[in-house]
Amino acid sequence: MNPQKRREIFRRFQAANPSPTTELEYGSPFELLVAVVLSAQATDKSVNLATRKLFPATPEKIVKLGVAGLEECIKSIGLFRTKAKNVVGLSEILIRDHSGKVPWDREALESLPGVGRKTANVVLNTAFGQPTVAVDTHIFRVANRTGLAPGKDVLSVEEKLLKFTPPEYLQNAHHWLILHGRYVCLARKPGCPECVIRDLCEFKGKTRRDV
């Protein structure tokens, strides 16, 4: 895919949604971190339902709640026992090593329990405004299907998106691509007739409008 086509793709995404953001509900960088950790293999909707009972939250509140108390709050989410241990553990580390604040750098974030590269990228981008791209299943699919940034694994897709996305669009690219994959470029049957980048997409199996 040539640079002009990539730029036009993001221009159209911006025109359709000038201020995209995560669908996770949060009120602070810490709450965002917790929500993203909880969202692994779970929907944003299910996480929001659980965190409405938990937020507002601070590391101190989570530690006081303890693993058993947190499990009770998030038991509707998949893998809630492991996630509760991770969230209490990362809260303890934030209090001990970071004065209760979420760190701004990737290495420190990825040292926290339950925080991998994707989670760190979401926090760095959404909470701290860094131009990172967290490649989830939606972005991986869209990047490969459209030809925007094809790659065999999430890291190669991330590296290509960082390299080829026009700088002025990089801050919001993560959100545009996730939302596009979640609501339009679906896994089983992409919504090509409603797609704003249909004519730019290089997917050969485009769907047609049902008659």
Side-chain angles (χ1 to χ4, degrees), residues 119-174:
T119 296
N121 277 337
V122 173
V123 174
L124 291 172
N125 177 275
T126 305
F128 300 127
Q130 296 187 25
T132 59
V133 180
V135 179
D136 68 350
T137 54
H138 295 301
I139 291 183
F140 186 78
R141 179 175 65 255
V142 171
N144 276 285
R145 181 182 277 167
T146 62
L148 185 66
K152 293 183 178 180
D153 53 51
V154 293
L155 183 58
S156 63
V157 169
E158 178 187 334
E159 289 173 342
K160 285 188 178 180
L161 284 170
L162 291 174
K163 180 178 180 181
F164 295 125
T165 301
E168 65 268 32
Y169 298 118
L170 189 54
Q171 175 61 42
N172 290 322
H174 161 81

Side-chain angles (χ1 to χ4, degrees), residues 154-204:
V154 293
L155 183 58
S156 63
V157 169
E158 178 187 334
E159 289 173 342
K160 285 188 178 180
L161 284 170
L162 291 174
K163 180 178 180 181
F164 295 125
T165 301
E168 65 268 32
Y169 298 118
L170 189 54
Q171 175 61 42
N172 290 322
H174 161 81
H175 298 299
W176 284 320
L177 293 172
I178 282 181
L179 293 170
H180 190 66
R182 184 173 289 166
Y183 295 111
V184 180
C185 197
L186 307 179
R188 291 190 176 183
K189 185 180 180 182
C192 300
E194 293 75 41
C195 180
V196 298
I197 62 167
R198 177 188 174 95
D199 57 315
L200 302 170
C201 171
E202 297 181 354
F203 179 50
K204 295 181 179 179

